[in-house]
Amino acid sequence: MGKMSRDKGKVGEREAAQFLRGHGFEARRGAQFQGGPDSPDVVHSIPGVHIEVKRCEQLSLYAAMGQAYADKRGDETPVVLHRRNHCEWLAILPARDFLRIVRPLA
């Protein structure tokens, strides 16, 4: 991975952490502090969730979700936070996990 791509990833991870903090969650960029490949993109206070951050114009959705599955621990719910330029953040998660979240509301 080239330096420009790594730098863009860092910026996206910081933006995602700022987004989560703006909504009342503790969050910070993970790799910046952990320094290893096993570090999550964002360390946060949302229990049971692994977040994979993708800040790009073209998202390979299933590849991103595959990475979230590969990096999650135990029974964490894999979530891809994605944002294109001039667009809002999207949270992408498996449909069964979405249903588990909304079922109590129905």
Side-chain angles (χ1 to χ4, degrees):
M1 179 187 302
K3 183 179 177 343
M4 264 181 51
S5 185
R6 279 193 312 272
D7 289 347
K8 187 175 180 182
K10 290 177 187 178
V11 169
E13 291 163 0
R14 288 184 188 115
E15 284 181 17
Q18 182 178 14
F19 170 76
L20 292 172
R21 286 192 306 271
H23 289 275
F25 297 98
E26 292 180 23
R28 63 175 167 76
R29 181 169 172 259
Q32 174 181 349
F33 297 96
Q34 304 295 328
D38 295 333
S39 301
D41 289 348
V42 176
V43 176
H44 56 80
S45 62
I46 305 169
V49 172
H50 171 79
I51 296 176
E52 182 66 35
V53 177
K54 297 296 181 188
R55 178 68 170 82
C56 54
E57 294 303 300
Q58 299 291 319
L59 176 66
S60 179
L61 177 59
Y62 285 93
M65 186 56 71
Q67 186 176 355
Y69 269 110
D71 294 348
K72 75 181 189 76
R73 294 184 176 139
D75 61 351
E76 288 180 324
T77 298
V79 175
V80 175
L81 273 186
H82 173 253
R83 189 170 91 77
R84 293 171 59 172
N85 291 337
H86 313 294
C87 294
E88 66 181 320
W89 282 100
L90 299 177
I92 304 157
L93 68 156
R96 69 177 174 275
D97 292 313
F98 169 74
L99 292 175
R100 181 179 45 79
I101 292 167
V102 300
R103 190 166 314 273
L105 304 176

